[in-house]
Amino acid sequence: MAVKKTDDVFSFAAFDPAKVSDSFREFAEKGAVQSKEAYSKLKTATEDATKVVEATLENAQAGTVELGLAAIDALRTNAESSLSHMEALLGVKSVSELFELQTAFLRKQAEVVVDQAKSMQEATRKVAEKVAEPGKSAAEKTLKTFKAA
């Protein structure tokens, strides 16, 4: 009686190393290509983020200098005004003249302080816009990228 020999699907004879080797090579090549693409995208994103941070810091530094100069100018104006007022007080001849001079000085000083506050507020707003601009532009660029994809 002749026994017919059949190959078992789980037997070692059904295993073809050439097919596995080709599949593995193809998988590895795809992985390498995808890794290179991902690295390239990450490198570009990192360079862009670095540029944004640098621009933000440069704008913040310039803005700080601008605000500092505005504050120094306001202090100089107030000091000069106070010294002029002190000189005027030295020439006072009566109490009523003293009150009149003091009232006029305080009124003028209040107006100057309000103007200085408005000026500083506007300068601060402009500096804040300048500092936020690089980040805002980068965010808009990123959103456009997502919308286009």
Side-chain angles (χ1 to χ4, degrees), residues 4-125:
K4 185 177 178 189
K5 192 174 181 184
T6 59
D7 284 337
D8 185 8
V9 282
F10 296 107
S11 72
F12 191 71
F15 180 73
D16 185 6
K19 289 181 183 178
V20 172
S21 168
D22 290 341
S23 296
F24 184 74
R25 184 178 300 115
E26 183 180 321
F27 175 76
E29 287 173 355
K30 277 185 182 179
V33 168
Q34 288 175 344
S35 294
K36 287 178 184 178
E37 289 173 359
Y39 173 76
S40 175
K41 288 179 182 178
L42 181 63
K43 181 181 175 191
T44 301
T46 303
E47 289 170 350
D48 291 346
T50 301
K51 289 176 187 174
V52 168
V53 170
E54 287 174 349
T56 300
L57 291 176
E58 287 173 4
N59 288 344
Q61 182 182 15
T64 301
V65 169
E66 183 180 329
L67 290 174
L69 291 175
I72 290 170
D73 187 48
L75 289 171
R76 180 179 293 127
T77 300
N78 293 342
E80 289 173 356
S81 177
S82 293
L83 289 174
S84 295
H85 177 63
M86 294 289 268
E87 287 176 355
L89 286 176
L90 292 175
V92 169
K93 305 259 190 252
S94 67
V95 175
S96 63
E97 188 179 350
L98 172 75
F99 282 117
E100 184 180 322
L101 192 60
Q102 189 66 21
T103 303
F105 172 74
L106 291 175
R107 187 178 302 118
K108 182 178 179 193
Q109 209 44 34
E111 291 172 0
V112 167
V113 168
V114 168
D115 289 342
Q116 288 172 343
K118 286 179 182 177
S119 175
M120 286 296 286
Q121 182 181 17
E122 181 64 20
T124 303
R125 184 189 62 76

Side-chain angles (χ1 to χ4, degrees), residues 129-144:
E129 286 176 356
K130 272 184 169 179
V131 169
E133 181 57 35
K136 183 180 173 184
S137 296
E140 288 172 354
K141 180 182 174 184
T142 301
L143 285 175
K144 286 180 183 176

